Amino acid sequence: MRRTLVINLDRCSGCDSCVTVCKYENGLQLGEYYNRVVAVGPYGDFPRVSMYWLPIQCQQCENPQCVHVCPTGASYRDEKTGVVLVNADKCIGCSYCIYACPYGVRSLNKETNVAQKCTLCSQLTADGSDVPVCVHNCPTGARFFGDLDDPDSEASQELARYDDDCIHSLSDPKNAGPTCKYILSPKYAEWKEIHQ
């Protein structure tokens, strides 16, 4: 099982609703984020100028570097769901996982000294009956959640609607195997990944 997000950038308006509801649901402190939206562009030459918004959160990697460097086993990939999680009771606050993440999507909670990140709202989605709040509250319907190994999941069905040239992943410099997928149709903009 590979539970993850599929984000359709053809629909994303860069409104930051996903960022806001994530902070509220997870009780994040000022300056802490599990999700952020980066403006890519504008680029190109007039009159063919393009721009899009790129939401970035944990990529739910199949070979997560954060897990490999964790000295206590606090960072792990759930065998049942494929979601990368942190066991707060085992975390010693060493920050190795934060530095190992190629996407810069982990942080250290200043109050608890525990590494934290997007869990795909595992408190809501663990039994499969709900979706992450960022998916539920996206006003443009740009976010999809599901198991990529299940062709009937909403995430897989959204990917199936598009050709391969429309489907992208963030670059993978450490062979982490990000499962999060992005849809960006060439008729709207050329994929020019910018992150960190």
Side-chain angles (χ1 to χ4, degrees):
M1 180 178 283
R2 293 180 297 157
R3 283 189 184 163
T4 194
L5 293 174
V6 170
I7 304 173
N8 191 328
L9 304 181
D10 294 353
R11 298 181 186 179
C12 180
S13 66
C15 71
D16 281 346
S17 291
C18 53
V19 176
T20 304
V21 297
C22 175
K23 284 182 69 70
Y24 182 78
E25 172 65 27
N26 293 290
L28 299 180
Q29 300 294 319
L30 187 65
E32 295 177 349
Y33 301 90
Y34 288 174
N35 182 36
R36 66 189 189 279
V37 179
V38 178
V40 180
Y43 55 89
D45 296 316
F46 180 81
R48 299 188 55 80
V49 178
S50 299
M51 179 177 181
Y52 63 92
W53 289 269
L54 180 63
I56 302 174
Q57 64 288 313
C58 177
Q59 298 295 294
Q60 305 303 336
C61 299
E62 293 185 272
N63 181 32
Q65 301 304 296
C66 55
V67 171
H68 294 309
V69 301
C70 181
T72 65
S75 288
Y76 67 101
R77 187 167 187 254
D78 185 76
E79 292 180 11
K80 180 182 174 190
T81 64
V83 176
V84 179
L85 300 169
V86 178
N87 181 332
D89 293 333
K90 290 184 176 181
C91 182
I92 58 173
C94 68
S95 298
Y96 287 174
C97 62
I98 294 169
Y99 298 118
C101 175
Y103 307 108
V105 293
R106 285 180 165 238
S107 62
L108 193 66
N109 184 300
K110 294 177 181 122
E111 293 182 0
T112 63
N113 201 40
V114 169
Q116 58 187 12
K117 58 173 284 300
C118 167
T119 65
L120 293 176
C121 288
S122 60
Q123 69 275 18
L124 304 174
T125 62
D127 65 0
S129 65
D130 209 344
V131 298
V133 293
C134 62
V135 174
H136 180 269
N137 289 281
C138 179
T140 62
R143 299 173 77 98
F144 300 84
F145 170 70
D147 177 8
L148 292 184
D149 294 330
D150 176 5
D152 294 326
S153 75
E154 288 187 7
S156 293
Q157 288 179 356
E158 183 67 4
L159 288 175
R161 292 184 182 98
Y162 291 85
D163 293 332
D164 288 346
D165 67 338
C166 299
I167 300 171
H168 310 278
S169 297
L170 294 185
S171 64
D172 191 7
K174 297 184 179 181
N175 296 315
T179 63
C180 182
K181 302 293 182 194
Y182 296 92
I183 295 168
L184 181 64
S185 299
K187 65 182 178 181
Y188 295 121
E190 179 187 350
W191 174 258
K192 289 184 177 290
E193 176 190 326
I194 296 175
H195 66 84
Q196 303 260 10

